[in-house]
Amino acid sequence: MFYDVVIPAAGQGKRMKAGKNKLFIELSGIPIIVYTLRVFEDDPNCRKIILSINPAEKDHFNQLMAAYGIKKVKELVKGGGERQQSVYNGLQHAGEEIVLVHDGARPFINQGQISDLCEAASLHGGAVIAVPVKDTIKRATDNKVLETVERSSLWAVQTPQAFRASILKRAHEQAEAEAFLGTDDASLLERIDEQVVIIEGNYDNIKITTQEDLYFADAILHKQKRK
Ligand SMILES: Nc1ccn([C@@H]2O[C@H](COP(=O)(O)OP(=O)(O)OP(=O)(O)O)[C@@H](O)[C@H]2O)c(=O)n1
Ligand SMILES: C[C@](O)(CO)[C@H](O)COP(=O)(O)O
């Protein structure tokens, strides 16, 4: 099933404390964003990549795409102050069928799962990749525990997230109109009662967020190279 993908890549990487967009940090000599883009460049079902970026970094992104032969980025879109706004801006350039949203900061998505995700989105409206939560989760205020949350129904949600484009566009419009800010795109469907289903993913699909994620990323990369 064909799809367009919106990749938000306009963050500042504050939690990484690298003093630059963390997507330019290299893993084994290759920038993180290149790993992410390659997954979609190599997927024959991906029609086009829409990349939301900070305009000040446009030349850097263009240089990387030229150097690594990335040809499917058909739109370089101005990102927003929040991830949700970067996705919203990208969505304006997406087609009318299936659209995926995938963090630039998740370079280890397994291509095999993307088609399952698209099928599910076509059937249900929205679908997310997620893994069962492994830790015991407690709710607390001011470090005082209020309760232990029942774990069997908890999922840690990742990207990609796939949607019927018309539903995602409507969900974003409504969130924008009501000044609602979510941490992922599926939450915008949930609040307008559109269905979102889970496709079980794997724990390697980490989002590179803080310094320690870089050595987890190196380990995952080495594991993948051994295959
Ligand atoms: N205004 C923003 C914020 C984030 N992102 C993108 O959304 C993805 C997930 O966001 P996150 O991991 O939070 O990245 P940063 O915002 O860069 O990190 P931080 O929150 O630590 O500053 C990243 O690919 C990031 O580039 C974006 O396009 N626009
Ligand atoms: C969309 C996301 O990757 C799902 O896990 C995540 O919510 C991005 O935002 P965060 O603020 O870094 O959690």
Side-chain angles (χ1 to χ4, degrees):
M1 185 174 296
F2 293 113
Y3 65 88
D4 292 344
V5 61
V6 175
I7 300 185
Q12 297 177 50
K14 288 187 213 133
R15 287 170 286 180
M16 179 59 72
K17 299 191 176 95
K20 62 176 178 183
N21 186 342
K22 65 189 177 186
L23 303 184
F24 299 136
I25 294 173
E26 295 182 358
L27 301 172
S28 293
I30 298 175
I32 290 170
I33 188 63
V34 173
Y35 289 94
T36 307
L37 290 170
R38 276 179 171 169
V39 174
F40 298 99
E41 182 73 22
D42 294 346
D43 183 353
N45 290 324
C46 177
R47 274 208 265 243
K48 73 169 172 178
I49 302 171
I50 302 152
L51 196 58
S52 294
I53 60 157
N54 174 349
E57 295 171 346
K58 189 172 180 180
D59 288 349
H60 196 157
F61 277 104
N62 276 328
Q63 280 159 16
L64 288 180
M65 290 186 295
Y68 289 95
I70 306 290
K71 298 194 172 67
K72 277 193 196 167
V73 177
K74 304 296 181 200
E75 316 278 354
L76 270 180
V77 175
K78 184 176 183 294
E82 301 286 346
R83 177 189 179 280
Q84 184 174 313
Q85 287 148 356
S86 296
V87 174
Y88 178 86
N89 293 352
L91 260 186
Q92 311 309 314
H93 300 265
E96 293 305 318
E97 292 159 40
I98 296 295
V99 61
L100 249 71
V101 180
H102 183 64
D103 292 328
R106 289 192 192 268
F108 301 120
I109 177 60
N110 167 348
Q111 201 188 87
Q113 291 187 320
I114 293 175
S115 59
D116 291 347
L117 202 63
C118 290
E119 295 290 340
S122 169
L123 210 58
H124 300 282
V128 299
I129 295 279
V131 289
V133 166
K134 291 191 277 191
D135 291 328
T136 292
I137 306 289
K138 294 189 192 291
R139 193 185 311 281
T141 311
D142 298 330
N143 286 10
K144 294 214 170 56
V145 172
L146 302 174
E147 62 169 332
T148 301
V149 184
E150 213 279 304
R151 188 173 59 187
S152 61
S153 64
L154 294 183
W155 292 83
V157 172
Q158 307 171 344
T159 66
Q161 302 190 348
F163 306 92
R164 270 189 242 137
S166 57
I167 297 178
L168 184 62
K169 288 177 184 177
R170 183 157 44 84
H172 265 269
E173 291 298 345
Q174 196 146 336
E176 171 86 1
E178 293 165 11
F180 175 84
L181 212 51
T183 54
D184 75 345
D185 299 280
S187 63
L188 309 189
L189 270 74
E190 293 154 32
R191 63 191 294 279
I192 58 166
D193 289 330
E194 290 291 347
Q195 197 177 28
V196 177
V197 297
I198 287 175
I199 300 289
E200 185 161 352
N202 76 66
Y203 293 97
D204 285 355
N205 183 29
I206 60 169
K207 183 162 72 62
I208 299 181
T209 305
T210 55
Q211 284 284 330
E212 56 274 18
D213 292 326
L214 295 174
Y215 52 77
F216 297 140
D218 269 330
I220 294 166
L221 205 56
H222 280 99
K223 184 177 106 179
Q224 289 183 347
K225 279 183 183 157
R226 283 202 307 271
K227 280 184 185 165

